[in-house]
Amino acid sequence: PDVTNNDHREIVGEMRQAIQLANTSAERAAGFVRGVKSQTRDLSVQQAVWFNAVPVIEEAILLLGHALRDAKCITVFEFSPPLPQLHGSPGRLMQVVSNLVINAADASADHGGGEIRLQLSSDDTTSLLLKISDRGSGIDPKIMTSIFEPMFTTKPFGQGTGLGLSIVHDIVTDDFRGSIEVTSTKGEGTTFSIRLAAPPQA
């Protein structure tokens, strides 16, 4: 009896937002599964489009909101226009960002959370540089050379597939003809630097 019509309308609004987010998340999950199955499958002409990386990165961060809150992490996204457009699949770039931000959140959770910073810039008109940095637990130098290998994971059994960074590496190098580097200090944090080719538009 204490629930008013206004309460019902507010609940309906929240449910609609939740359904919309669930639909978008399901589409992203389907893309992830396809990525796991095909790993380095070449994009067809129909799949490759010209796109702006900024809204793709912003959407990836939005979709990870719940996981970031659970890890007590906040994200800061900075970009320096003008930025050249990329040619490829926006969903594949979203997959790269999602995997790296989730890894950053996991690494930060042990330290009680913290800031995850994303910086997008362009040194010229032919490439984009995306840096994703955290202040988490860092990566042990002993395993640094193995982190991009398929099935390699430091997470407990059942909590990680060991495919995340391997898929990220393949998407960056194959789909976007780029490169990925990592710098890390144990106990202080990690930065992934991703360079993505931005070929001139016809």
Side-chain angles (χ1 to χ4, degrees), residues 70-90:
D70 282 351
K72 296 182 173 60
C73 291
I74 60 170
T75 55
V76 176
F77 177 35
E78 302 171 332
F79 56 94
S80 305
L83 297 169
Q85 289 199 324
L86 295 175
H87 189 250
S89 167

Side-chain angles (χ1 to χ4, degrees), residues 99-167:
N99 284 356
L100 293 178
V101 171
I102 282 295
N103 282 354
D106 290 343
S108 301
D110 294 337
H111 287 208
E115 181 181 278
I116 300 172
R117 183 174 294 271
L118 297 88
Q119 298 170 294
L120 183 66
S121 61
S122 177
D123 295 335
D124 48 46
T125 60
T126 61
S127 65
L128 287 179
L129 177 62
L130 173 62
K131 291 187 176 183
I132 301 178
S133 305
D134 65 67
R135 301 174 183 172
S137 55
I139 301 173
D140 191 327
K142 296 179 181 178
I143 66 170
M144 187 69 78
T145 58
S146 302
I147 61 174
F148 294 115
E149 295 177 2
M151 309 308 293
F152 178 84
T153 181
T154 59
K155 294 179 181 178
F157 180 76
Q159 294 185 20
T161 62
L163 290 173
L165 287 180
S166 174
I167 290 176

Side-chain angles (χ1 to χ4, degrees), residues 47-105:
Q47 289 176 297
V49 297
W50 291 100
F51 68 95
N52 181 354
V54 172
V56 173
I57 294 172
E58 290 175 333
E59 184 177 356
I61 295 171
L62 178 64
L63 289 172
L64 296 174
H66 182 73
L68 291 169
R69 285 193 296 272
D70 282 351
K72 296 182 173 60
C73 291
I74 60 170
T75 55
V76 176
F77 177 35
E78 302 171 332
F79 56 94
S80 305
L83 297 169
Q85 289 199 324
L86 295 175
H87 189 250
S89 167
R92 299 286 265 177
L93 177 60
M94 187 179 294
Q95 192 173 342
V96 168
V97 174
S98 298
N99 284 356
L100 293 178
V101 171
I102 282 295
N103 282 354

